[in-house]
Amino acid sequence: MTTSSTTVTILGSGTCVPSLNRSACAVLVESGTEKILFDAGPGTMRRLLEAGVTIFELTTVCFSHFHPDHTGELVPLLFSTKYPDGRRRKTPLQLAAGSGFSAFFGALGRVYGQWIDLAPGMLRIRELSNAGFDRFCAGPLTIETAPTVHRPESIAFRITDAAGRVVVYSGDTDYSEHLVRLAKGADLFICESAMPDELKIEGHLTPSEAGDIAARAGVSSLILTHLYPECEDVDLIGQCRNAFDGKIVVAADLMRLAMG
């Protein structure tokens, strides 16, 4: 019996700040027939096409929180799904996010109305708990979540494939014991590192803090992402090495990582 490979593509490694090199936050995880998008900041649909995936192939879109640099392409994605008559999508699209997502999506509906209404039965909303750890399944993947320290609705994701390989995506967060627990033993830890150590801002991690979480969680590989322009001329790996001696990679748009 063969097990499907799992691949991870960093679609956007940047922030809300416009950049020719870094699109806003988005990560694609593919395993079997599942194509799951984590966050969808501005520019995500173009990056998907550059990665060889259309919006009609997405099975689930997960949001770490509701800030525009993580949800900004949700409305255009749904609007585009209706073109020309909505028949290109063959299976329902699932949207998943933390507490308050149903109200957030309802507010978008009051603004955009029919322009984001998919055909009956073609859109499913899943609201995840922020009171503690939660989980759901998407095809062969098990997705677990934990609250993080950024916004009330903020959550991180742990994705386990059929072979037991684990990817963790932090979303935006400050230092979080929940994130340490969620990332335990992960093969790949995609963690925000918004600002260099010397420019620490509340609600976000620095390279040293991301490295400390990675070390405490015992992850195999750490990918630093969600990088503001202030990170570009800094030795982020060197700062991260203060705490973590495993594999460290600075994310780049369209970086593709095979999990086996």
Side-chain angles (χ1 to χ4, degrees):
M1 176 178 169
T2 58
T3 303
S4 298
S5 63
T6 297
T7 60
V8 177
T9 305
I10 308 295
L11 297 175
S13 59
T15 67
C16 58
V17 180
S19 168
L20 293 175
N21 298 318
R22 297 189 185 278
S23 190
C25 307
V27 173
L28 177 69
V29 176
E30 301 174 80
S31 189
T33 59
E34 294 296 313
K35 296 184 188 297
I36 303 182
L37 180 63
F38 292 88
D39 285 335
T44 295
M45 289 193 290
R46 181 185 179 93
R47 286 289 193 244
L48 275 171
L49 288 177
E50 290 174 321
V53 176
T54 72
I55 59 172
F56 306 102
E57 297 175 79
L58 295 174
T59 51
T60 298
V61 182
C62 298
F63 297 101
S64 63
H65 63 294
F66 308 154
H67 276 161
D69 56 330
H70 296 256
T71 61
E73 202 111 302
L74 171 58
V75 166
L77 189 154
L78 293 175
F79 183 47
S80 299
T81 298
K82 296 170 66 69
Y83 175 82
D85 55 13
R87 287 185 294 178
R88 293 183 65 184
R89 172 160 285 281
K90 304 301 182 183
T91 58
L93 176 66
Q94 177 174 231
L95 303 180
S99 298
F101 184 60
S102 295
F104 175 81
F105 189 77
L108 291 177
R110 289 190 292 276
V111 173
Y112 292 101
Q114 64 177 324
W115 303 116
I116 61 171
D117 288 340
L118 301 190
M122 295 303 286
L123 184 65
R124 298 173 181 170
I125 303 295
R126 181 184 292 272
E127 186 168 309
L128 299 159
S129 172
N130 283 73
F133 292 79
D134 205 345
R135 64 183 290 162
F136 66 99
C137 292
L141 300 174
T142 299
I143 302 176
E144 299 168 88
T145 66
T148 55
V149 184
H150 187 68
R151 290 277 304 154
E153 74 275 6
S154 292
I155 52 177
F157 297 89
R158 179 185 178 96
I159 307 100
T160 305
D161 72 7
R165 297 171 292 231
V166 174
V167 180
V168 172
Y169 172 58
S170 72
D172 285 9
T173 183
D174 211 315
Y175 202 93
S176 168
E177 292 295 332
H178 280 140
L179 184 56
V180 174
R181 178 178 166 188
L182 191 74
K184 282 288 184 186
D187 297 286
L188 185 64
F189 180 32
I190 304 168
C191 187
E192 78 119 284
S193 180
M195 288 286 188
D197 286 354
E198 62 273 16
L199 296 175
K200 163 75 178 178
I201 56 175
E202 185 178 357
H204 289 284
L205 295 170
T206 66
S208 289
E209 290 175 325
D212 186 60
I213 292 172
R216 291 184 59 198
V219 308
S220 297
S221 297
L222 172 61
I223 310 296
L224 302 177
T225 193
H226 194 38
L227 306 173
Y228 277 88
E230 288 83 352
C231 293
E232 296 301 337
D233 297 320
V234 176
D235 182 7
L236 301 179
I237 292 178
Q239 291 189 353
C240 196
R241 280 276 176 247
N242 293 328
F244 181 63
D245 59 6
K247 182 178 179 180
I248 307 169
V249 177
V250 176
D253 286 20
L254 300 178
M255 175 183 288
R256 190 173 176 87
L257 306 152
M259 299 291 291

